[in-house]
Amino acid sequence: MLSSAVPIVEPSPMEGYSSAFLEKEAAAQAEFEGDEGGEHDPESNSLRNPLLKRTPTLTSSQYAVVGAKVSHIESLDYEINENDLFKHDWRSRSSGEVLQYIFLKWTLAFLVGLLTGVIASLINLAIENIAGIKILYLARFVKDKRYVTGFVYLTGVNLALTMVAASLCVVFAPTAAGPGIPEIKAYLNGVDTPNMFGASTLFVKIIGSIGSVSAGLDLGKEGPLVHIGSCIASLLSQGGSESDDYRLKRKWLRFFNNDRDRRDLITCGASSGVCAAFRSPVGGVLFSLEEVATWWRSALLWRTFFSTAVVVVVLRGFIEYCNSGRCGLFGRGGLILFDVSDVKVSYHVNDLLLVALVGVLGGLLGSAYNFVLHKVLILYGRINERGRMAKLVLSLSVSLFTSICLYGLPFLAPCTPCDGSAEVVCPTPEGSGNFKQFNCPSGHYNDLASLLYATNDDAVRNIFSSSTPSEFRLLSLLIFFALYCVLGLVTFGIAVPSGLFLPIILMGSAYGRLLALALQSYIHIDHGLYAVLGAAALMSGSMRMTVSLCVIFLELTNNLLLLPITMFVLLIAKTVGDSINPSIYEIILDLKGLPFLEASKDPWMRNLTVAELAAAKPAVVSLESVEKVARIVEVLKHTGHNGFPVVNWPEGSAELHGLVLRSHLVAVLRKKWFLKERRRSAEWEVRERFTSVDLAKKGVTLEQVAISEEELEMYVDLHPFTNTTPYTVVESMSVAKALVLFRQVGLRHLLIIPKYQGAGISPIVGILTRQDLRAHNILAAFPHLANKKHK
Amino acid sequence: MLSSAVPIVEPSPMEGYSSAFLEKEAAAQAEFEGDEGGEHDPESNSLRNPLLKRTPTLTSSQYAVVGAKVSHIESLDYEINENDLFKHDWRSRSSGEVLQYIFLKWTLAFLVGLLTGVIASLINLAIENIAGIKILYLARFVKDKRYVTGFVYLTGVNLALTMVAASLCVVFAPTAAGPGIPEIKAYLNGVDTPNMFGASTLFVKIIGSIGSVSAGLDLGKEGPLVHIGSCIASLLSQGGSESDDYRLKRKWLRFFNNDRDRRDLITCGASSGVCAAFRSPVGGVLFSLEEVATWWRSALLWRTFFSTAVVVVVLRGFIEYCNSGRCGLFGRGGLILFDVSDVKVSYHVNDLLLVALVGVLGGLLGSAYNFVLHKVLILYGRINERGRMAKLVLSLSVSLFTSICLYGLPFLAPCTPCDGSAEVVCPTPEGSGNFKQFNCPSGHYNDLASLLYATNDDAVRNIFSSSTPSEFRLLSLLIFFALYCVLGLVTFGIAVPSGLFLPIILMGSAYGRLLALALQSYIHIDHGLYAVLGAAALMSGSMRMTVSLCVIFLELTNNLLLLPITMFVLLIAKTVGDSINPSIYEIILDLKGLPFLEASKDPWMRNLTVAELAAAKPAVVSLESVEKVARIVEVLKHTGHNGFPVVNWPEGSAELHGLVLRSHLVAVLRKKWFLKERRRSAEWEVRERFTSVDLAKKGVTLEQVAISEEELEMYVDLHPFTNTTPYTVVESMSVAKALVLFRQVGLRHLLIIPKYQGAGISPIVGILTRQDLRAHNILAAFPHLANKKHK
């Protein structure tokens, strides 16, 4: 089943249709564990004999909504895996190869910036030209009073463009729908969402973005550009677990075969995307840092900064090129998107009060937007569930509704004479001015049409324009604001690439300007600046960013003197918003069921030990260093675990040898590297058959491996494949403290060691994974914790 | 012995006079371990019977240069300590108290911003007035051709001001000398430098800063402001281990008794300081993030942002107040220090080449500066060693030299007629103009005097000034550049509060403008902008920051269009510099011997296991859960360790109970909470005597505790004081991987557990501390690792 943009599960994994998967899995697990028994015998810790009898209740799902389909997701291996093969790989690297690796990292960061810059420029070029021509023709129809033709024309073109975007998304790359930022956030947190960063996703995202933005839908190209940057990074570094992806298998890329390096490059990609979207190099770096990335190092700060610098150079070159008029309708402009640097900012103490009001209302509006959008997304999820046709119909309906509103509403606005105020330059016959004549007589302009018959970027530029207090009428602004509130809610969930930034900026700027008009007699700051502050407030109220948003707005508007009040507004709006509901990205992550690990520890986590948590899970399934093939196959078939402790029981003691990953076990079975008897192999034996590259390969499943009866009776030496140094915690550690370790170091599996050690005591009490440490899952297993705040 | 600003040890701890301490300690340790013997018997692991015979070679120093004195330093406890008392403390907190705690955190962040802003404003006010009056009178003497009187006057005033600053530093607070940023960096990394954040340090730093900057010395108030911000934060949160400090012992502060909360507040303080110094709120946050802080969370980003927002509001209010002329000679100005926003930036491809040249040369100059400054600091260390008098004489000599140069050199410059170019406005009789007449006839100005007879801020403003290509002559700029290269090197190490930012900016701006003059015919960008780029290049070449520097320069100059080339220059200069030597802060940290843990892992760390590392240390000294007082006293007296594993040996197994801190042991001994027999106490017993506040107290030493012979035979129940959940790693883990854990989680002690467990095997193989994981110390013990890059 292919799918679209909209998440369809309720926050609780027990609702929505994905629960079917979850319940099935839980049942399988229960069945698998239910009929077990037997005393603990450390010498024969077979799968059928769990070490201790337990009543497992902590169920953790390995499924999440990807696109609109429930898919199996996996965690990424950000931990340094110290198994013999990888260790040998490092040690055998010559200093030349180390230099090659460093050079490669920087080259890739450069390429990410370069390609993102070029693609962003091309997308801008395409959108400006398509939308420009569309609006030019429309203006002619209206001028000639051919209103019906105009309507049919506008609707038809918009529907066609939407159709292109939506059908590409629905048929080829369901994961290209939506902004993609939540999935990138999850990837950098350690969750691999399948098919998220493939070549087809990239292609559909580019074309779909052009289509949907040109179609006049209320969505931006900013989110998609972030996703595009990350896709480029992932493709260059071969990240993600793609099946539909044209892998570049180059020898020089073989050092780039671990998830950590890919993570760094995808961070560069995300920064480059934001930079390309807002022409904001520092803002891009900070956005990645504050909103997207989970781990951060100074070295990475520097590399992302390099990428965004490259993007800026590319954008600047492109703008210089277009300024000579060779880019069709692509506007002549500088690096600054919404320049308001010509406004003198001076304010008094009573202005601060009004600005605080902008912040408070912005926070309220932002959280209200989050709340309603949440409901709409759930509803859309139910619709999109019905199949491709439903998704297409939904997208086209939204497009139709948008076209009707955009076309019809300006007729409600009265005409304003151009000579009424000195500030307004009336449209020239070429129609290149910002003010649209529309249905008005010559020498007049229609203020609402000026906002609606423009690309979204131009609309924002109009509202931000300064020294124009009487340019827009209260009524027109009210209509505009109401329209974009509705459109912002109904558009986001449809099956096209769509960003959230611009809709919120549009809404926010209208809100700011409305407030300025309403309080006209009390304010001393320019109305255009109020629009900027309104946009910042709504962004902060919905997305809850601070420093990065501040810098992005600084780089968008080029007015440094505005910075202190922008900071003020952002802090207030975020505080108000945070006290009401989570940020929009958190809501989407939650809707999709992506197991994102938050940094914050709930207070009750201090009252629960990891041993108690492990006791609520099925017993640990462990392997021995030299294990029978039959048992490995059985373990892989009957459990969903992705890591197995390797424990040996030499005379009178126990050895914690390490942890072996499912993917490595499958790789061994696939290569059929079996031994006739139970013995430890020599180092050279394994190196004859395996390289570290073989182990780094992803996406091979057990089903692709056929093993004969005879082979089942043979043995595998797991020594060379076992990560001998998994991170461990003592069983008495609180969940809060273990979570710090898990998140800070970027783990996939955390082993719990017992307090008491000795003969016959297993050196492993349990294993915790990302799902086990999520507050939501823990509370499902330990409901009493949620109620009592403190013992 | 009191001390001054200058570090005096060579990078290797075996040179300089601190080596005396190190060798003594090593000798003591060798003696202590040397005469031991006996077989391993787990039931009686007495201190005199190490578990295994080893040849300890990994010596780790607990001493560093603080001020100019070698002092005992300690690590901070950033780990969550899960002992019974602390656990009970959390659990007994009501939700009201939790709210109070959150409110307190934000109130303190607000207060830090407020106080830093106010103090920064007062410092500025004092400096501008003192320096202004000084220069005014001087100008009169010179105008009247009373050159000798002028010289005596200038020298006398400067010497007096230097005397005030230096004598305060030397007598009352040696740690107030220098910038303080390296020590703050170390604090946030987990190293507590004594007497660094006390009330006396704060006071001396404020007065000393005013004195030294007014004295015309080549140093800035920026670094000291960062230190002042951190001092305020530390005093508010009672951080640091101060003896000279007026502690506020308020009940409402008792929730703020852990190092983690203090660390967060000190981060806020450092950001506020940078913000106050450069009037750069976003730059302040980023500076802390990139340069100062080791750990970072999104929540902290937000809080520091709040602090800097408060600082900006205070600064703005102060500037508004002063703009009405009530601040004496305090300049009327806006929030932007060096505004160059009126320059139109446009450049071509060949400009990029020249700009790249600025970057390359900046990187070379910056690293050369680091190199020479390093040598000068070592030399100064030797001088300062000789006592207070030597320090004072050194400071006064530098002041005298500075005065002679400042006074004498302008006579070398010829006079320039004011009407020669339209760009120059000649000095008015009030002397408030930027151009100084000095010894020139009316209608002329002396360009070198314009730079030298001004506060450092004004000098930078002059050099940055745009559209003034012919304002400064090549000769004058050459003299200025050469002078400030020399002054920048000789001034930094003297015993007054001194920042590095402004000297480097002065040097760099002169260098940039010189380059622009030299390449006059090839460049298309304004000379003032070249000065900005030169300053940025030199900063990056010496301090090696990128994003934060970029934003600070953006906020200093208010020219967004300059951003892309600034990024370009910074990246090049940092790359060039990094390939030559470490950053100036790293050099200073190294000179002081502060055990700063870098994020970077050297490749050879992958080839060494923690077990090998532990084997090179003295055997672990462990305690039992219920331990004899005599043994605790013995252990505390004979070892320098700050943490001891608590291990029990129940029948047939071993129990890893946890880790107990030296400070907690001392607290127990001090309270004399002893048991007559070897038994486990009940929970209520300990709570009757101890609260978590008792344990949080710092700075009590064993010497302050007197214990009778009778008490030595009693027992202590360590259960309630033991952190039952120390972080552990398996002995086979590589040092590189363990370092990730240690640094990411912010540890003080890391326990090593064995691979094989069983009866009679100790559950602890060793303990690693910060010192053991420093590359420098490891290489001293394993010299062969440095040579071979790979096995």
Side-chain angles (χ1 to χ4, degrees), chain A residues 737-754:
Chain A
K737 193 170 171 181
L739 185 59
V740 170
L741 170 65
F742 200 93
R743 198 177 188 274
Q744 288 287 337
V745 184
L747 296 186
R748 184 171 181 184
H749 298 100
L750 180 60
L751 298 189
I752 305 173
I753 57 170

Side-chain angles (χ1 to χ4, degrees), chain A residues 79-80 82 91 289 302 555 563 571 607 653-654 656 725 727-728 733-734 737 741 755 757 763 790, chain B residues 79-80 82 91 289 302 555 558 563 571 607 653-654 656 725 727-728 733-734 737 741 755 757 790:
Chain A
E79 184 183 337
I80 300 171
E82 294 193 325
R91 286 173 186 170
L289 169 60
W302 191 26
E555 293 186 309
L563 187 63
L571 283 170
N607 297 330
S653 69
L656 165 58
T725 59
Y727 283 108
T728 52
M733 190 178 280
S734 73
K737 193 170 171 181
L741 170 65
K755 232 177 143 62
Q757 299 167 354
H790 41 89
Chain B
E79 182 182 339
I80 301 170
E82 292 194 326
R91 286 172 185 168
L289 169 61
W302 191 27
E555 293 185 311
N558 191 17
L563 186 64
L571 283 169
N607 297 330
S653 68
L656 166 58
T725 61
Y727 284 108
T728 53
M733 190 176 281
S734 73
K737 193 170 172 181
L741 170 66
K755 229 176 145 61
Q757 299 167 354
H790 40 90

Side-chain angles (χ1 to χ4, degrees), chain B residues 344-413:
Chain B
K344 241 191 111 48
V345 184
S346 66
Y347 44 86
H348 299 283
V349 178
N350 33 342
D351 276 314
L352 280 186
L353 278 177
L354 289 172
V355 166
L357 184 70
V358 173
V360 172
L361 288 181
L364 290 175
L365 273 174
S367 48
Y369 179 77
N370 288 1
F371 178 80
V372 182
L373 188 59
H374 186 182
K375 303 287 169 208
V376 173
L377 289 179
I378 293 171
L379 176 72
Y380 274 24
R382 300 237 165 90
I383 297 173
N384 286 337
E385 234 173 89
R386 303 189 180 182
R388 295 185 189 190
M389 227 35 223
K391 289 188 222 171
L392 272 181
V393 169
L394 181 64
S395 307
L396 294 177
S397 317
V398 170
S399 173
L400 187 65
F401 175 70
T402 308
S403 302
I404 293 172
C405 293
L406 289 184
Y407 187 79
L409 288 175
F411 289 101
L412 298 181

Side-chain angles (χ1 to χ4, degrees), chain B residues 111-121 225 228-230 232 269 272-273 276 311:
Chain B
L111 284 177
V112 166
L114 183 73
L115 291 176
T116 309
V118 169
I119 290 179
S121 301
L225 270 175
I228 288 170
S230 305
I232 294 171
S272 303
V311 173

Side-chain angles (χ1 to χ4, degrees), chain A residues 378-399:
Chain A
I378 293 170
L379 177 72
Y380 274 23
R382 302 237 165 91
I383 296 173
N384 286 337
E385 235 174 89
R386 302 189 181 183
R388 295 184 189 190
M389 228 33 224
K391 287 188 221 169
L392 272 182
V393 170
L394 181 65
S395 307
L396 293 178
S397 319
V398 169
S399 173

